[in-house]
Amino acid sequence: MSRPPPSPGERAPLVTDAIPPTLRRGGANQRQVLAICLIGAIVLACLGSRDTPGWAERRGDSWLDHQLRSIAGAWDGAMETLQLTDPHEALRAAMGRALDRRWDE
Amino acid sequence: MLFPTLDFLVFFLVVAAALAALDRHFPQKKALLVAASYFFYAQWDWRFCFLLAGSTTISYVAGLSIGGSNDPARRRLVLVLGVALHLGILGIFKYLDFLVSSANQLARLLGLQHELPFFEVLLPVGISFFTFHGISYITDVYRGDVRVCRAPLDMALYMSFFPQLVAGPIVRAAYFLPQLAHPSREPIPVAAALLLILGGMVKKVIIANYLATGLVDPVFAAPEQYGGPDLLLATYAYAVQIYCDFSAYTDIAIAVAALCGFRFPRNFNQPYRALRLREFWQRWHISLSTWLRDYLYKPLGGNRHGRLKTYRNLMITMLLGGIWHGAAWKFVMWGALHGGGLAVERMAYPWLGQRPQSRFGKIVSWFVVFHFVCLAWIFFRAEDFTVARVFIGGLAQGWRDPVQQAQPAMVALILAGMAGQFLPPGSFERVGRWFGRAPYWSLGAATGLLLAAINALGPEGIAPFIYFRF
């Protein structure tokens, strides 16, 4: 069901919705959105753990930041043991090589 | 707190959990979003929350006063006062030191001894955006285009909603406030939102970041050290960088708003495929260009009072649009170039037509418009006029010098950024429909996987978005 139309006295501005109506037909509810975000965050935490120690370092110097640093370090170590950091390192190395290419090589 | 960071992911997970818990309680959901928005804004400087609250109060009270009066003179007075207060706040925080600096330069030119002291006012992030929100609301109430907002919570959410708070898009009251009147029963377009996030991350983390650090920043820092090829490619690179940077922010803002259950307007539509400068402004930062059209160009008279006044109105609108971007003469120059370009283009309509017809005409027209936009970007990006002059002068020199910065990866990123401008219409819908067929749990896993890949391909740490400083 769509939103109610604008009432008299309200003029809808002439703007286009960023997400077109064809993509609004199917969708999720707020709980499914939360589930999607959590699943995505878990996958990201597993495969993107290499950057978490650096993120924790940049945060600051409070007690909480120190705790976060040790958790991030331990988490990254655990992911490394499971070899889940390999794809990250392979992609970053490939990008590094691409950036280092010169016209005269 | 920048969008493509772990801090924002944690923040949004907490907000999403609270929204899921409050799914059927719309007033509480709005209160939660206001609290989350103020928390988000306080991450830059908590003191600016008072400024945001003050700006909200001005808009709310002015709206009530205009809506509660039938006296045209009183309504007009409140409109003028409300707009003046908003502009006064913007002027103090954004333009005071610029005005002092300009006055001091003028005094030196005139041989005067006294100099005004600087106030060194800290620029609150996003002030230009929430000021424009407030002005649009008061003006729309005055014009009768939107109902008076009597719920303070709705007004607070309209002014502070975190996805658009610091860098837009500029969402009109007539577009957003009706969404706060009733809870939406539409499903959340999660596949489209996740696609926008992924596309935005590619544009910001990979294209904009590498072009900035690898080509644009070093070449614009010392243009005299580079030959023509490096300077030309740095110009193209900046055009791609600023598009990818800003459109990435608005894509992610649109997606985050959608995941919270709200609609945002489109802000970019492949601007670098424009065949006329006017068309460029119908495709670039659409929420700002339509704002300037409706609240500045049309009230000045638009194109209703003859050709000369139309050119004057175009010039004033673009000059003010330029200075909206920042308190510096280089932005005035950028606005003047666009204003002048739009006026000249309008003058030439009798010979050129509003749109080229032949294939050759389209290619020539695209080439001219794109390079004019790039020329204007040089002033926008350069530190000052001296750097811009050296840069433009250097474009014609050193074409036999070896290329230093514009190496193959940089050229590939420029081409990738430009390729996105020429995708056929409907591409986003086609990919979105295909993506949306997957079960929702697999959408989450696929998004996590792709975000991890984008993160690995990008540099560690994220540069702030360009439009944060506006």
Side-chain angles (χ1 to χ4, degrees):
Chain A
M1 199 167 94
S2 60
R3 289 174 198 285
S7 49
E10 273 177 346
R11 186 169 61 90
L14 297 170
V15 289
T16 313
D17 281 338
I19 297 178
T22 48
L23 297 182
R24 291 187 169 277
R25 286 188 196 126
N29 61 36
Q30 208 77 62
R31 288 189 184 159
Q32 288 169 326
V33 167
L34 174 63
I36 289 166
C37 292
L38 284 172
I39 292 168
I42 291 166
V43 173
L44 183 59
C46 292
L47 296 171
S49 67
R50 265 295 180 246
D51 281 346
T52 49
W55 163 75
E57 280 295 323
R58 288 191 295 271
R59 279 191 59 84
D61 219 18
S62 69
W63 175 85
L64 182 67
D65 295 326
H66 284 284
Q67 297 301 309
L68 273 175
R69 254 170 239 161
S70 55
I71 293 168
W75 176 260
D76 185 42
M79 294 303 110
E80 189 176 5
T81 312
L82 295 170
Q83 295 184 327
L84 289 177
T85 53
D86 292 356
H88 178 101
E89 286 178 345
L91 282 172
R92 189 152 284 178
M95 193 69 188
R97 284 194 298 276
L99 289 168
D100 289 341
R101 292 286 295 272
R102 302 276 162 214
W103 292 113
D104 48 14
E105 276 178 11
Chain B
M1 195 191 301
L2 303 172
F3 281 163
T5 58
L6 204 47
D7 302 72
F8 185 77
L9 178 64
V10 173
F11 165 78
F12 186 69
L13 282 175
V14 174
V15 172
L19 288 176
L22 297 171
D23 199 15
R24 296 184 189 282
H25 303 86
F26 196 49
Q28 289 87 335
K29 186 175 162 178
K30 288 190 283 188
L32 165 86
L33 288 173
V34 172
S37 299
Y38 272 81
F39 174 81
F40 177 80
Y41 197 50
Q43 300 308 302
W44 278 277
D45 192 326
W46 60 270
R47 291 169 298 178
F48 294 146
C49 289
F50 294 103
L51 189 66
L52 179 59
S55 196
T56 305
T57 308
I58 291 168
S59 307
Y60 180 70
V61 172
L64 283 181
S65 303
I66 293 170
S69 170
N70 290 322
D71 177 6
R74 184 184 151 84
R75 285 165 57 87
R76 192 173 176 78
L77 178 69
V78 177
L79 170 75
V80 170
L81 273 177
V83 171
L85 276 172
H86 274 302
L87 291 179
I89 292 172
L90 184 65
I92 289 168
F93 281 93
K94 190 162 178 175
Y95 299 109
L96 193 59
D97 280 336
F98 169 64
L99 292 174
V100 169
S101 153
S102 300
N104 287 343
Q105 280 176 1
L106 184 66
R108 276 197 293 276
L109 277 174
L110 296 172
L112 300 174
Q113 298 296 319
H114 292 289
E115 290 212 343
L116 297 169
F118 285 97
F119 294 88
E120 295 181 359
V121 184
L122 207 57
L123 178 67
V125 67
I127 187 170
S128 307
F129 289 94
F130 66 72
T131 298
F132 272 29
H133 277 106
I135 292 174
S136 98
Y137 168 70
I138 299 172
T139 313
D140 284 354
V141 170
Y142 177 79
R143 291 173 175 170
D145 290 344
V146 68
R147 279 187 173 181
V148 177
C149 177
R150 299 191 185 281
L153 193 61
D154 288 8
M155 193 70 222
L157 186 52
Y158 166 61
M159 292 288 286
S160 69
F161 189 31
F162 69 88
Q164 46 80 12
L165 178 58
V166 294
I170 300 166
V171 184
R172 304 283 187 86
Y175 181 85
F176 193 69
L177 284 175
Q179 297 185 46
L180 302 179
H182 311 280
S184 169
R185 287 178 175 76
E186 278 182 343
I188 293 170
V190 73
L194 295 177
L195 265 186
L196 283 170
I197 290 173
L198 289 170
M201 290 291 284
V202 169
K203 286 192 278 187
K204 171 63 182 168
V205 175
I206 300 177
I207 300 179
N209 275 356
Y210 280 125
L211 283 178
T213 54
L215 180 52
V216 175
D217 292 352
V219 174
F220 272 88
E224 69 282 357
Q225 294 176 9
Y226 297 94
D230 272 315
L231 294 173
L232 184 66
L233 286 164
T235 309
Y236 293 153
Y238 185 63
V240 171
Q241 184 208 336
I242 193 168
Y243 166 74
C244 285
D245 189 285
F246 190 23
S247 71
Y249 187 90
T250 50
D251 283 354
I252 299 172
I254 288 160
V256 170
L259 293 177
C260 293
F262 296 97
R263 292 180 178 201
F264 270 7
R266 193 174 196 180
N267 209 24
F268 288 93
N269 182 17
Q270 299 175 309
Y272 294 142
R273 70 185 297 164
L275 302 180
R276 292 278 186 254
L277 196 55
R278 183 181 173 204
E279 187 190 349
F280 172 78
W281 280 102
Q282 290 165 345
R283 292 171 174 272
W284 175 272
H285 201 174
I286 299 165
S287 64
L288 174 69
S289 57
T290 52
W291 195 101
L292 291 171
R293 181 196 67 198
D294 292 346
Y295 299 101
L296 191 56
Y297 177 69
K298 284 184 178 174
L300 283 169
N303 58 2
R304 297 191 303 274
H305 302 291
R307 279 187 303 167
L308 283 179
K309 285 195 175 166
T310 303
Y311 305 147
R312 180 204 66 181
N313 296 340
L314 281 171
M315 205 67 197
I316 293 172
T317 304
M318 295 314 295
L319 280 173
L320 290 175
I323 202 150
W324 175 86
H325 284 84
W329 288 108
K330 62 178 192 162
F331 294 118
V332 178
M333 181 65 184
W334 177 79
L337 278 172
H338 275 279
L342 285 166
V344 169
E345 187 179 88
R346 191 173 265 269
M347 276 181 223
Y349 276 165
W351 303 287
L352 295 176
Q354 292 209 9
R355 198 173 163 80
Q357 299 302 321
S358 68
R359 192 179 176 81
F360 178 72
K362 284 179 182 172
I363 292 170
V364 171
S365 197
W366 171 82
F367 184 86
V368 171
V369 169
F370 178 67
H371 284 85
F372 180 82
V373 169
C374 285
L375 172 72
W377 283 140
I378 294 175
F379 288 93
F380 195 93
R381 173 60 182 82
E383 202 57 39
D384 51 37
F385 282 123
T386 311
V387 173
R389 200 184 63 235
V390 171
F391 196 105
I392 292 167
L395 279 167
Q397 298 164 3
W399 280 85
R400 289 174 191 275
D401 294 350
V403 172
Q404 297 177 63
Q405 295 294 141
Q407 295 300 336
M410 296 297 123
V411 176
L413 289 170
I414 294 170
L415 292 174
M418 285 303 289
Q421 304 289 308
F422 294 97
L423 288 174
S427 303
F428 176 65
E429 283 92 327
R430 275 195 289 280
V431 179
R433 276 199 297 274
W434 174 79
F435 200 50
R437 281 191 207 120
Y440 75 88
W441 58 267
S442 66
L443 285 181
T447 304
L449 192 69
L450 291 169
L451 283 177
I454 294 165
N455 178 51
L457 289 171
E460 195 175 344
I462 293 291
F465 286 91
I466 293 173
Y467 264 66
F468 271 34
R469 73 184 77 141
F470 306 143

